[in-house]
Amino acid sequence: MKTIRLALLAAACASLAACNSWPTSLDNRADGDMKFRYHHRLYDQWSFWAPVKQGHAVMFAHEHRIRDISGFEITEGKLTYRYGARALAPVQQFCAGSASCALVYRGEGRLEARTAPLADAKLD
């Protein structure tokens, strides 16, 4: 009986992971550390500033998809790069219909999107 319960628990956990409840990530491939925040269209407030170490990736909040992001900011060193609706439109279009979207920050304001994380991404 205990084995059956463990098997059911493992199956439930596997199926929940397949749902991809954290569908958007940001991978910092710039030359140094950075921090970012975003505005989700359903909230009045922006997210908190989240630090991302160079060479590491982080997930957005639970169920926050890039298609629902209306503003995005990255601070690298003393510079802040702001991405409004027009700047985000190509990224949102690229990620449309995908279960997940990995944003890759290359530094100096260069942001790209992928439908899967980079193979060597170090997720924090």
Side-chain angles (χ1 to χ4, degrees), residues 11-120:
C13 290
S15 68
L16 287 174
C19 293
N20 200 3
S21 295
W22 286 271
T24 307
S25 63
L26 176 64
D27 191 341
N28 180 9
R29 297 301 170 112
D31 291 335
D33 296 347
M34 49 84 84
K35 60 184 178 177
F36 77 101
R37 71 180 186 158
Y38 60 90
H39 183 262
H40 190 282
R41 66 180 177 81
L42 296 178
Y43 300 96
D44 293 333
Q45 304 290 327
W46 282 68
S47 70
F48 63 92
W49 283 100
V52 186
K53 293 180 181 178
Q54 189 274 330
H56 290 255
V58 297
M59 304 298 278
F60 281 31
H62 181 74
E63 287 296 335
H64 284 197
R65 299 181 185 282
I66 192 65
R67 70 174 178 235
D68 300 322
I69 304 303
S70 59
F72 192 72
E73 294 183 350
I74 293 176
T75 296
E76 177 185 11
K78 294 181 180 182
L79 297 175
T80 298
Y81 300 95
R82 292 179 177 88
Y83 308 85
R86 278 201 280 171
L88 289 173
V91 173
Q92 291 167 331
Q93 185 176 11
F94 178 81
C95 294
S98 177
S100 65
C101 188
L103 302 176
V104 179
Y105 182 66
R106 299 283 184 188
E108 298 177 347
R110 297 171 302 184
L111 186 67
E112 63 185 57
R114 299 174 175 267
T115 54
L118 296 173
D120 62 343

